Amino acid sequence: MAVTVVTMEVGNDGVAVISISNPPLNVLTVAIIAAMKEKFSEATRRSDVKAIVLTGKGGRFSGGFDISAFQKVHKSGDVSDSPNESFDLIVNTIEGFLLYSGIRVLLQSVVLYVIVKIAEPVVAAVEGLALGGGLELAMGCHARIAAPKTQLGLPELTLGVIPGLGGTQRLPRLVGVSKAVEMLLFSKPIMSEEGKFQGLIDDIASSEELLRASRLWALGIVERRKPWVRSLHRTDKIGSLSEAQGLLRNAREQAKRTAPNMPQHLACLDVVEEGILHGGYAGLLKEATVAKELVLSNTSKALAHLFFAQRTTAKVPNITDVGLKPRHVKKVAIIGGGIMGSGIATALILSNISVFLKEINSEYLLKGMKTIEANIQGLVTRGKVTQDKGQKALSMLKGVSDYSEFKDVDMVIEAVIEDVPLKQKIFTELEKVCSSCCILATNTSTIDLNVIGEKTNSQDRIIGAHFFSPAHVMPLLEIVRTEKTSPQVILDLLTVGKIIKKVPIVVGNCTGFAVNRTFFPYMQGPHLLVNLGVDLFRIDRVIRNFGLPIGPFQLQDLGGYRLGLAAGKEFANAFPDRTFRSPLTELLLKNGRNGKSNGKGFYIYEKGSRPKPDPSVLPIIEESRQLMNIMPGGKPISVTDKEILEMLLFPAVNEACLVLDEGVVARASDLDVASVLGMSFPSYRGGIMFWADTVGSNHIYTSLKRWSEIYGSFFKPSRFLEERAVKGMPLSAPATSSPKSNSKL
């Protein structure tokens, strides 16, 4: 077991090297901070110490504060549980000031400290990464020497908080306001090479020479050959007041557009401005106050929940905890080179997994190969992948027109159209041509895996690998198990998911699996509301204001109506008691509309411009309303925006309750991750179940019950939801019943 320690070694040159050791990322805990302060205190007492170098062991400086401290604060509601070392550790201990005898002089409500200076300069020797509190620690030192390719960043805003160790004050003083705002608002890390160019890093030295170079720099400060710089006191990078305020004003406008429901962005800019207007120390005081306020915000609670939930998805009971070892998957065959197949192939070859792409003829094969090349080139153009890596990836791709290469592959992924007889035929053929240990996977999004594999004798190695489009970009991978899928096959696909940088979630076998099943009411509910007289463009606007990137009608435009009709039929067959059938989609197709693919849907799609509401669709909607004839008294219903939001999302919550009750997922937090990564549910709301618990099970249940009495069984609340509401239990609380079958979790 790794031991958490802070050590100090004093060399013959009079430099004390203080090292943080808390593998694997050297995160800062209360114990680490206390030990650091003790070592600094010891160093200042020793007469043989001239200077100090602060570093991290194991090739990493520090990954920042231990985020689990947030969970403790969120549970207790006591912000004192959140460590605040901005003054005691950074200002007083490292940067160069000590509290003298604890004397405080109060003047006009401002705390002033009587201080004495420390004689020893501190240099940070940074390698691997310095993120969050780790970078703030380094910025508090008098100089920073970094190894090549070291990652530097302040990602706190992604957790709903702001930097709390002085990052909002020191970063603008080191790199300038413009670059600091970019790094803060976008949580955008930079490498040490750029850090040196920007002024964040003083020099770069190889890993082998890092400590030596840092010691020499520290001695240079002692001997006055190098400047003794307290970054909190610098103003040369701030620029003129008008320029700085102009940059912050523009940043605020951008934050309002791109993060309208997240308070931490504007709060961060306010704190930065406080330091510019009134000095770094005043900025630190405001930073400490605002940081404590934000850590208790709903946004912080939601984002912290999601952070830990995402790291839990790969822990699958009776799969990852029984001592199985994953097999190496080096060669994969993909059947079908359409949008999904080519996207999956792209993701695999970018992770050094060889791919054989099979299509039914040379024309389709060439088209699939070109799509993969275009995917790679797009990533290169956007700077996501280097030209060399792109070329290497393409060298791992081979197009084939038959099964001759399949005998040696480790896995096959079928990605053809949603046609049951075709899929059954393919899997029957695969059983004959592939080795007996080859994993047989399907990318189906809705079809029951037992149906796909019913004509084979290899159901123990049949598994669902449901990627989301575009597969090389979207981070979620649903791994679908049946009652017969072997644990080894599940573990192997989990490992592949991690290798190709996906977030894998293991789910049970049912129509729609976890994500599409949970959200099928969300896609049908808008049609119910439209046929009740609600304006469709208002519905989309309400959903966008809630935080999803696009509304359900624009989403249907993107997917195409035929795909929506096919999926709708699957859900109607599986869940006839809670399916809403609307003629609207068929009427759109009848009128020559198929969404974005032909430029005509609910919106107008023109190259180079944003989608615009298409008023010419309104007569088609009116025709649908006439056919359905469900408006009470023939008049449109009157609903608020809040009611529209709830009538769309509460049925999805209800379906999520059924998914949980049936054991389709292992835990509620898996649905939270899936909803964010698969359906773009706003991350700052924590996911579908986390959000539902903030709303309250009783309100959701009583609302659905009332609507079901007025509008029918589409809104009928589930038994699971009713029980939780009656008992006052969170919907996300673990179920007490045991899983019903091995296909469930």
Side-chain angles (χ1 to χ4, degrees), residues 522-523 540 550-560 603 605 679:
Y522 167 77
M523 299 305 292
D540 271 8
I550 58 176
F553 288 107
Q554 190 179 348
L555 181 60
Q556 289 174 49
D557 273 0
L558 292 181
Y603 293 80
Y605 297 89
M679 283 298 296

Side-chain angles (χ1 to χ4, degrees), residues 58 279 404 454 500 665:
S404 58
E454 69 181 9
I500 64 175
V665 292

Side-chain angles (χ1 to χ4, degrees), residues 18-75:
I18 297 176
S19 303
I20 305 167
S21 178
N22 186 15
L25 298 179
N26 291 334
V27 295
L28 305 175
T29 63
V30 172
I32 286 283
I33 290 168
M36 284 175 61
K37 288 192 284 191
E38 175 57 36
K39 293 303 179 186
F40 272 102
S41 178
E42 181 185 342
T44 59
R45 293 195 302 267
R46 289 181 56 158
S47 60
D48 59 336
V49 173
K50 301 176 185 177
I52 299 169
V53 169
L54 178 63
T55 192
K57 289 192 174 180
R60 293 177 174 88
F61 184 73
S62 173
F65 264 116
D66 183 1
I67 299 171
S68 61
F70 285 179
Q71 287 185 310
K72 186 177 180 182
V73 175
H74 294 155
K75 287 177 182 177

Side-chain angles (χ1 to χ4, degrees), residues 192-257:
S192 50
E193 289 77 6
E194 184 183 353
K196 185 174 187 302
F197 174 77
Q198 297 287 350
L200 182 56
I201 297 298
D202 293 283
D203 203 3
I204 292 179
S206 67
S207 296
E208 297 77 15
E209 291 291 315
L210 182 60
L211 276 181
R212 178 176 174 276
S214 301
R215 299 173 88 112
L216 288 174
W217 196 286
L219 290 171
I221 296 175
V222 173
E223 297 162 5
R224 299 188 178 181
R225 291 182 288 103
K226 299 288 186 185
W228 187 317
V229 180
R230 295 182 180 86
S231 55
L232 188 63
H233 297 177
R234 287 182 62 176
T235 58
D236 55 297
K237 286 287 191 80
I238 297 294
S240 70
L241 184 59
S242 61
E243 181 186 2
Q245 288 186 306
L247 287 167
L248 292 172
R249 186 165 52 250
N250 292 337
R252 283 191 180 94
E253 292 304 314
Q254 185 177 18
K256 288 174 183 176
R257 290 193 307 271

Side-chain angles (χ1 to χ4, degrees), residues 41-188:
S41 178
E42 181 185 342
T44 59
R45 293 195 302 267
R46 289 181 56 158
S47 60
D48 59 336
V49 173
K50 301 176 185 177
I52 299 169
V53 169
L54 178 63
T55 192
K57 289 192 174 180
R60 293 177 174 88
F61 184 73
S62 173
F65 264 116
D66 183 1
I67 299 171
S68 61
F70 285 179
Q71 287 185 310
K72 186 177 180 182
V73 175
H74 294 155
K75 287 177 182 177
S76 69
D78 185 359
V79 77
S80 64
D81 288 337
S82 176
N84 181 5
E85 296 291 342
S86 183
F87 294 95
D88 197 22
L89 176 63
I90 308 293
V91 175
N92 300 337
T93 305
I94 295 176
E95 199 162 39
F97 295 97
L98 282 171
L99 292 181
Y100 184 73
S101 302
I103 299 174
R104 295 184 179 186
V105 182
L106 295 178
L107 179 61
Q108 294 179 350
S109 300
V110 177
V111 180
L112 302 177
Y113 293 100
V114 181
I115 53 178
V116 294
K117 189 171 75 174
I118 291 180
E120 294 82 8
V122 184
V123 173
V126 184
E127 184 179 9
L129 53 80
L131 299 175
L135 180 58
E136 292 178 282
L137 200 60
M139 288 192 292
C141 297
H142 305 109
R144 288 149 296 283
I145 314 300
K149 307 296 182 187
T150 296
Q151 195 176 24
L152 312 166
L154 296 175
E156 283 86 349
L157 269 69
T158 62
L159 291 170
V161 295
I162 64 172
L165 285 180
T168 62
Q169 304 306 306
R170 293 185 179 87
L171 189 62
R173 287 165 169 77
L174 289 168
V175 303
V177 177
S178 179
K179 186 64 183 179
V181 165
E182 177 189 321
M183 291 178 66
L184 286 164
L185 291 194
F186 297 105
S187 298
K188 186 178 180 181

Side-chain angles (χ1 to χ4, degrees), residues 450-473:
N450 290 323
V451 174
I452 291 174
E454 69 181 9
K455 296 185 178 180
T456 74
N457 295 313
S458 304
Q459 294 186 17
D460 61 326
R461 53 193 175 111
I462 291 178
I463 193 166
H466 179 214
F467 291 80
F468 290 73
S469 183
H472 61 295
V473 175

Side-chain angles (χ1 to χ4, degrees), residues 373-385:
E373 289 174 12
N375 289 343
I376 297 289
Q377 189 54 51
L379 294 170
V380 171
T381 302
R382 296 195 300 274
K384 304 290 185 183
V385 171

